[in-house]
Amino acid sequence: RRNATERENQILVDSNPIQSNPRRRSRSNPPEMKFFSAFDPWPVFFRREWGRTWPFLAGFAVTGALITKMTVGFTKEDLKNSKFVQAHKKK
């Protein structure tokens, strides 16, 4: 009788549409996250956000280049005579 009961239970499990559908996930039994660290989200993020962030990045690069170009020619004498440097000089 035990074999018949096991077969009946297996038939019920196989005929249950919720459990037999491999694409449907149970909320009470979530799948394990075994290989979660294998997924790299950065390419997806950059592809999605590039349209919004490129103006900011370009502006930051241009501003940095202008500040670098303007300040690279300063000499010690220029810095010593600068009102800004004297006002913010560390004591």
Side-chain angles (χ1 to χ4, degrees):
R1 181 74 185 143
R2 184 172 180 205
N3 288 339
T5 306
E6 288 177 5
R7 271 189 258 135
E8 289 171 358
N9 287 339
Q10 189 61 39
I11 290 171
L12 287 174
V13 168
D14 290 342
S15 65
N16 187 348
I18 294 175
Q19 291 181 354
S20 65
N21 188 350
R23 291 184 179 170
R24 185 173 179 133
R25 293 184 180 161
S26 169
R27 290 184 184 193
S28 61
N29 228 353
E32 287 186 41
M33 299 283 192
K34 290 181 183 177
F35 303 105
F36 187 71
S37 62
F39 175 68
D40 186 18
W42 288 109
V44 176
F45 174 76
F46 285 128
R47 204 174 315 120
R48 187 179 300 154
E49 298 297 324
W50 179 251
R52 288 195 303 186
T53 55
W54 76 263
F56 168 77
L57 295 173
F60 192 73
V62 169
T63 304
L66 288 174
I67 290 172
T68 303
K69 185 175 174 73
M70 289 169 37
T71 60
V72 89
F74 286 165
T75 63
K76 296 268 187 191
E77 189 67 28
D78 292 334
L79 295 176
K80 193 167 76 171
N81 296 334
S82 169
K83 290 180 184 177
F84 180 82
V85 172
Q86 295 304 317
H88 293 89
K89 190 173 185 178
K90 294 182 180 178
K91 296 177 183 176

